[in-house]
Amino acid sequence: MVAENINRACKQTRKPVKAERETQMKLLTYRSGGRDHVGVLDYDGQHIWRIGKYSSMLDLIQSGISASELSAASARHGEPVLFSDITKRPPIPNPAQDIICLGLNYSAHAEESAKAAGTNFVGTSDYAIYFSKRASETTADGEAIPGHWEITENAVDYEVELAVVIGRDAFKVSKEDAYDYVFGYTVFNDMSARNIQRNHKQFYFGKSLDGFCPMGPWIVTEDEFNRPPSLRLRTWVNGELRQDSNTDELIFDIPHIISELSQGIVLKAGTIIATGTPAGVGMGFSPPKYLQKGDVITCEIEGIGRLENEME
Ligand code: MG
């Protein structure tokens, strides 16, 4: 529905995109002329149509989208900009709240985590493991990730995850209705300092270091996917494949997560939920393959895109 409205709005601009949709609707935040804007990537992948009415992606999501509003907004800013001329920004540069994360939500990752901790794997939890990740600012595709080497003791790790962006306030939502509350999906890298998470016996600090929240390069709206979305997700480090799984393998799926959390928490429009990472993180190798300065991490989710960052 969201994509349909935006698509209709784009079609009504002076330089229309192709009459029929051939590829996905990609919504992005970008910097041009010293300011952040929200736009739609053209089907050619080379032009961005600015959606001028909204000051930010959160503003767009939270305001609700109608075709007439978007049409007017796009028409006022008629000429597209070249993708090669803009500075990439994360789709949601400043989340309204911390990211809600799932821990150990793929069985093979739960097993490798137990092994890394030196404990016996006794099966996955009957209950979803939720935690929070500080994210005052997220990190864009192509932007460097600071290693915080003075406190991370050579234990910096990557985690590719499917991130769900909530589209309207969700409270006491049933599993059956859950997808109606999803605005879209993006690629998320739940960067983690394993020494800190081990020492402090919880996830918060070690996953919340500044710059540890790469996401993007854009949001693809929910209606572009099947329910449930069945998407291959992979990570490479310097071109070496490390993670390769599919969101089919999620232990607690998207309807479970939204329905369960919303029984007691209003999930506000714009909330970001990182659904957990599959096996193949650096910690899971023996010896561990942690990230070093200069390493390039590439996270890709089928049907969404590729998020690439270098450690600095
Ligand atoms: Mg994670």
Side-chain angles (χ1 to χ4, degrees):
M1 191 62 174
V2 173
E4 268 173 31
N5 290 342
I6 295 169
N7 192 47
R8 206 176 305 135
C10 285
K11 283 180 188 169
Q12 292 167 10
T13 55
R14 280 186 284 123
K15 270 193 177 174
V17 292
K18 290 175 187 171
E20 298 300 325
R21 281 169 52 187
E22 294 174 352
T23 57
Q24 292 155 321
M25 182 65 64
K26 292 164 176 160
L27 286 169
L28 69 169
T29 301
Y30 62 99
R31 182 161 290 177
S32 176
R35 288 186 54 202
D36 281 0
H37 306 285
V38 182
V40 179
L41 188 65
D42 198 306
Y43 302 115
D44 65 10
Q46 295 175 26
H47 293 87
I48 298 168
W49 295 88
R50 183 175 161 194
I51 307 171
K53 183 178 171 64
Y54 303 99
S55 62
S56 68
M57 187 72 76
L58 274 183
D59 187 27
L60 182 152
I61 294 168
Q62 289 165 348
S63 68
I65 293 172
S66 78
S68 57
E69 282 173 337
L70 277 165
S71 176
S74 299
R76 273 202 299 276
H77 303 277
E79 294 299 318
V81 294
L82 271 173
F83 187 69
S84 55
D85 285 348
I86 58 95
T87 301
K88 288 187 264 186
R89 297 279 287 144
I92 300 178
N94 305 103
Q97 305 98 12
D98 287 357
I99 313 293
I100 296 173
C101 298
L102 275 282
L104 308 181
N105 202 22
Y106 288 81
S107 182
H109 174 61
E111 193 166 352
E112 73 177 352
S113 298
K115 200 192 276 181
T119 57
N120 287 328
F121 178 62
V122 292
T124 55
S125 171
D126 293 337
Y127 293 91
I129 298 168
Y130 298 112
F131 64 94
S132 173
K133 179 179 175 89
R134 186 79 167 166
S136 306
E137 288 183 27
T138 55
T139 299
D141 174 45
E143 199 174 349
I145 301 172
H148 300 273
W149 308 113
E150 66 284 2
I151 58 169
T152 52
E153 295 172 5
N154 190 33
V156 178
D157 213 345
Y158 52 84
E159 296 188 349
V160 65
E161 308 199 6
L162 176 69
V164 175
V165 180
I166 297 293
R168 57 192 173 109
D169 292 0
F171 188 59
K172 296 197 185 298
V173 171
S174 68
K175 286 184 182 178
E176 291 70 31
D177 293 340
Y179 285 111
D180 295 338
Y181 290 80
V182 176
F183 177 79
Y185 302 105
T186 190
V187 183
F188 192 83
N189 181 357
D190 179 20
M191 292 290 299
S192 308
R194 301 302 185 194
N195 64 315
I196 295 176
Q197 79 180 54
R198 268 194 301 269
N199 291 344
H200 292 265
K201 304 196 188 316
Q202 39 81 2
F203 298 117
Y204 189 77
F205 185 19
K207 288 175 176 279
S208 295
L209 304 184
D210 288 350
F212 270 28
C213 209
M215 66 183 294
W218 36 63
I219 294 171
V220 182
T221 50
E222 188 276 334
D223 59 344
E224 303 277 356
F225 298 91
N226 292 327
R227 295 180 175 185
S230 171
L231 308 174
R232 188 179 187 185
L233 68 174
R234 285 179 287 181
T235 302
W236 294 260
V237 176
N238 303 328
E240 179 191 327
L241 183 63
R242 297 280 184 86
Q243 296 187 279
D244 186 359
S245 186
N246 191 292
T247 56
D248 287 341
E249 302 293 319
L250 284 171
I251 298 168
F252 299 101
D253 63 9
I254 292 163
H256 178 103
I257 296 165
I258 292 174
S259 177
E260 182 164 78
L261 287 174
S262 74
Q263 298 311 308
I265 302 171
V266 178
L267 300 174
K268 303 289 285 182
T271 294
I272 301 165
I273 302 172
T275 54
T277 200
V281 299
M283 175 181 71
F285 290 89
S286 184
K289 294 183 176 182
Y290 291 128
L291 295 167
Q292 311 292 325
K293 185 177 167 125
D295 282 352
V296 176
I297 312 123
T298 308
C299 297
E300 182 182 271
I301 301 182
E302 178 185 11
I304 302 176
R306 207 167 239 235
L307 173 69
E308 191 163 278
N309 303 89
E310 181 172 337
M311 296 303 302
E312 75 172 3

